[in-house]
Amino acid sequence: MLQLLTSPRTARTVRGLLGTVADAVRSVVAPASLAERQADVEPVTAPDPAGLYEADEIPAVETIGAAAREYERAADQARRADRGKRAAKKILDKLPAGIYGGWKVSRTPSSRQTPDLAAITRIFKANGLGPVPMKRCADSLKVEAVEVPAVPVAV
């Protein structure tokens, strides 16, 4: 029992809970302190990737607007579909393989592989190679509607 209370995982869980409780108390006692702490963080923007349109190749504003609307619509549909898929998977993941009312539930081994970072880290440490080299994931494309002020026309 004592080992359970002193394990690193338990310590992280307790620290996380204490941080959550502290934030909850601060939000009641001094809500501005939480906002000030987050206000210092500036939003990070990624640099433009290679292969962008040249100035003379940029499509018409109407074409860009239509593409942005379509992207936003498709992204919203994908988010809704992903939420539904996750909710259904919570139930289906717990079922043993079998047939349930016309639906066959089974599992097949994946052909995909991913590096075992724990093993790689052990090898790097054992051979004194320093930290495991990492690279950033691809930047995310974000599209959002903004208000465009009307440009006054000089007569």
Side-chain angles (χ1 to χ4, degrees):
M1 180 69 173
L2 183 60
Q3 180 184 8
L4 179 64
L5 294 175
T6 58
S7 74
R9 178 179 286 167
T10 303
R12 281 193 303 269
T13 303
V14 169
R15 276 197 307 270
L17 286 172
L18 289 175
T20 303
V21 169
D23 283 348
V25 169
R26 265 197 302 274
S27 71
V28 172
V29 175
S33 68
L34 289 174
E36 291 167 4
R37 187 172 67 188
Q38 293 174 356
D40 297 341
V41 179
E42 289 195 24
V44 178
T45 56
D48 285 337
L52 299 179
Y53 286 123
E54 295 295 328
D56 59 335
E57 299 174 322
I58 294 177
V61 174
E62 295 80 20
T63 306
I64 296 170
R69 278 189 297 282
E70 177 60 20
Y71 183 88
E72 184 179 40
R73 185 193 63 74
D76 187 48
Q77 282 183 336
R79 280 189 295 273
R80 279 190 271 140
D82 196 44
R83 282 192 296 269
K85 193 170 140 184
R86 278 195 309 266
K89 194 169 186 217
K90 275 185 185 179
I91 295 168
L92 298 172
D93 270 347
K94 295 180 183 179
L95 291 174
I99 297 176
Y100 300 90
W103 294 95
K104 180 179 179 182
V105 175
S106 62
R107 289 165 182 81
T108 58
S110 174
S111 62
R112 293 175 47 190
Q113 293 184 333
T114 184
D116 182 352
L117 290 180
I120 293 169
T121 302
R122 273 194 310 276
I123 293 168
F124 266 66
K125 281 185 178 179
N127 294 298
L129 298 173
V132 176
M134 302 294 279
K135 68 177 191 175
R136 290 179 23 152
C137 295
D139 297 325
S140 298
L141 176 65
K142 295 182 90 174
V143 177
E144 56 187 308
V146 293
E147 289 292 324
V148 180
V151 179
V153 179
V155 179

